[in-house]
Amino acid sequence: MDTTEPTRLTGLPSWLLTQTAAHAGRLVSEGLAGVEARGYHYRVLATLDEYGPASQADLGRRSGIHLSDLVAAINELAARGYVQRSPDPDDRRRNVVTVTDAGRRQLAALDEQLAAVQQRLLTPLDGEERAQLAALLTKLLAYHRLSS
Amino acid sequence: MDTTEPTRLTGLPSWLLTQTAAHAGRLVSEGLAGVEARGYHYRVLATLDEYGPASQADLGRRSGIHLSDLVAAINELAARGYVQRSPDPDDRRRNVVTVTDAGRRQLAALDEQLAAVQQRLLTPLDGEERAQLAALLTKLLAYHRLSS
DNA sequence: GGTCGATCGTTGGTGCGCCTAACGTTAGGT
DNA sequence: ACCTAACGTTAGGCGCACCAACGATCGACC
């Protein structure tokens, strides 16, 4: 059936994962580069849009982005006017990060780009296979998320 | 069923892939760090063991490692005595890279480490699911490999 | 037989994602 | 009031994938 017999290397699940992820990452980067963005930007905007304004710490936890990287990402987004960082009156340690209207428009553009990327990524898989893949990965992710 | 409803972010196949790959990579790094190695080292040794001695260019093509990165990887492996780099008498542009006995022993050790990693990685999946995952990823990889 | 394009190995540098360590500021429990 | 914890920020490192350029060599073609 398989034209490519799995060797010890190419049969390794961890290898399959990282390789396909590399391809996915490449496609995502290409798609996002067209709108002058990268992965972190989308993750921040999407998370913000999903949960509403939040402190950077909350944002980091929800998006899975490291606090230290978040600073730069928010700087960049703020510089482009997609996001606003203002001090939290109730807690002077915190900043409240809010999406602007421009940010929401940008998010829509990114969503579109990414949807196209998913199509290109999953081309060889039919609907059922895509669902299977998503389910399996989600299961793996959920498991490893607990034991962190 | 799902305790975590997929949001727009966490439902994105590309996100699922890169996140699980990140976890996998972390586990692999940990496992390999115990034997003072990293991903490239294993890939080189495994490829060499699989196909026999080869030029760096061939090695790169087979292992999917960039030529420029291969130089460093081979340097490190050679410094540890796991691999030998000698000029090809038939083509003076080339180096022939060969695994040493020590390299084969190291490969065995890495194989062992990685086998354990796969177990940890795939813990939440049963046999059938593991096969499904491998099949799906292989399919994706095969497709994208052609259009490179 | 010389010329030209392709290949090989090497160097140096880029980008992204993930991570650690440290530090000053502020909140909050006790 | 003190001490711990959380927050934001800066600086830096690692691993993997990639690009651009270069000298050396090979091969094909005229």
Side-chain angles (χ1 to χ4, degrees):
Chain A
M1 307 294 123
D2 256 350
T3 158
T4 54
E5 48 188 302
T7 64
R8 117 164 83 189
L9 212 194
T10 62
L12 224 48
S14 60
W15 189 83
L16 292 171
L17 266 174
T18 51
Q19 288 299 304
T20 44
H23 277 284
R26 195 163 22 241
L27 291 176
V28 168
S29 287
E30 287 171 11
L32 259 40
V35 262
E36 218 81 8
R38 59 199 177 92
Y40 279 2
H41 298 159
Y42 177 73
R43 282 161 73 176
V44 169
L45 288 177
T47 306
L48 233 33
D49 185 74
E50 188 81 27
Y51 296 92
S55 71
Q56 299 185 191
D58 282 345
L59 213 44
R61 281 184 282 264
R62 298 206 261 247
S63 62
I65 300 180
H66 209 91
L67 272 293
S68 49
D69 299 317
L70 205 48
V71 176
I74 294 179
N75 284 345
E76 291 154 9
L77 288 171
R80 289 169 176 80
Y82 296 145
V83 120
Q84 200 195 353
R85 175 160 38 189
S86 44
D88 184 340
D90 298 346
D91 187 336
R92 295 208 313 236
R93 290 172 304 178
R94 302 187 191 190
N95 291 329
V96 178
V97 183
T98 319
V99 209
T100 65
D101 286 349
R104 255 178 288 269
R105 283 194 298 274
Q106 167 81 169
L107 178 54
L110 296 185
D111 263 328
E112 202 173 337
Q113 286 294 320
L114 286 185
V117 165
Q118 308 307 312
Q119 278 313 110
R120 261 178 287 157
L121 177 62
L122 301 178
T123 300
L125 266 43
D126 64 33
E128 191 185 353
E129 288 172 321
R130 296 179 189 199
Q132 272 185 8
L133 181 62
L136 290 171
L137 293 178
T138 303
K139 198 167 180 178
L140 273 184
L141 221 45
Y143 169 76
H144 288 287
R145 199 170 278 301
L146 297 183
S147 56
S148 69
Chain B
M1 309 298 121
D2 255 350
T3 157
T4 56
E5 51 190 299
T7 66
R8 114 164 87 191
L9 212 194
T10 61
L12 224 47
S14 59
W15 190 83
L16 292 171
L17 266 174
T18 50
Q19 288 300 305
T20 44
H23 276 283
R26 198 164 17 244
L27 291 177
V28 168
S29 287
E30 287 170 12
L32 259 42
V35 262
E36 216 81 10
R38 57 197 177 95
Y40 279 1
H41 298 159
Y42 177 74
R43 283 161 72 176
V44 168
L45 287 178
T47 306
L48 234 32
D49 185 74
E50 189 79 29
Y51 296 93
S55 71
Q56 298 185 194
D58 283 344
L59 211 46
R61 280 185 283 265
R62 297 204 262 248
S63 63
I65 300 179
H66 209 89
L67 271 294
S68 47
D69 299 317
L70 205 48
V71 176
I74 294 178
N75 284 345
E76 291 154 8
L77 288 171
R80 288 169 176 80
Y82 296 147
V83 120
Q84 199 195 353
R85 177 158 39 188
S86 44
D88 184 339
D90 298 347
D91 185 338
R92 295 205 313 230
R93 291 172 304 178
R94 302 187 193 193
N95 292 329
V96 178
V97 183
T98 318
V99 210
T100 65
D101 286 348
R104 254 178 288 269
R105 282 193 298 273
Q106 166 81 168
L107 179 55
L110 296 185
D111 264 327
E112 202 173 337
Q113 286 293 320
L114 286 185
V117 166
Q118 308 307 311
Q119 278 312 111
R120 262 178 285 157
L121 178 62
L122 301 177
T123 299
L125 267 41
D126 63 34
E128 192 184 353
E129 289 172 321
R130 296 179 188 200
Q132 271 185 8
L133 181 62
L136 290 170
L137 293 177
T138 303
K139 199 168 180 177
L140 273 183
L141 220 46
Y143 170 77
H144 289 288
R145 199 169 276 301
L146 296 182
S147 57
S148 68

